[in-house]
Amino acid sequence: DKGPLMNIPIKSNQEAEIKIASLVDEIIVVKKNDYKANVSFQEQQINQIVYKLYGLSDEEIHDGVEKNNPPK
């Protein structure tokens, strides 16, 4: 059932889309050369673009990260 997914708001911003696409391309190239390569810097940049796009506060970001990555 994809019904709940249809309610997620999708933000559109051409500048953000271009930057994210560029970072994804960079990740693909790096991983093709070395699948163990660390791409956390690019991933963090993508996260920051998305956080800004949706206007998330530091608290909302922290709460979302903690909720999705509970302590082990």
Side-chain angles (χ1 to χ4, degrees), residues 9-63:
I10 304 297
K11 301 281 184 168
S12 181
N13 176 301
Q14 188 175 13
E15 183 180 333
E17 290 173 19
I18 291 168
K19 182 64 176 164
I20 290 171
S22 174
L23 288 164
V24 169
D25 288 343
E26 195 175 312
I27 290 170
I28 291 169
V29 168
V30 168
K31 288 294 192 175
K32 277 185 179 179
N33 292 325
D34 178 5
Y35 74 95
K36 291 183 178 183
N38 182 349
V39 292
S40 60
F41 178 75
Q42 291 88 344
E43 291 170 342
Q44 185 60 31
Q45 287 184 302
I46 292 170
N47 289 343
Q48 292 301 317
I49 294 168
V50 173
Y51 299 154
K52 183 177 178 183
L53 188 61
Y54 282 89
L56 298 178
S57 68
D58 289 341
E59 183 178 340
E60 290 169 319
I61 295 166
H62 180 267
D63 290 349

Side-chain angles (χ1 to χ4, degrees), residues 65-72:
V65 170
E66 289 295 316
K67 182 178 179 182
N68 292 309
N69 296 299
K72 295 177 182 174

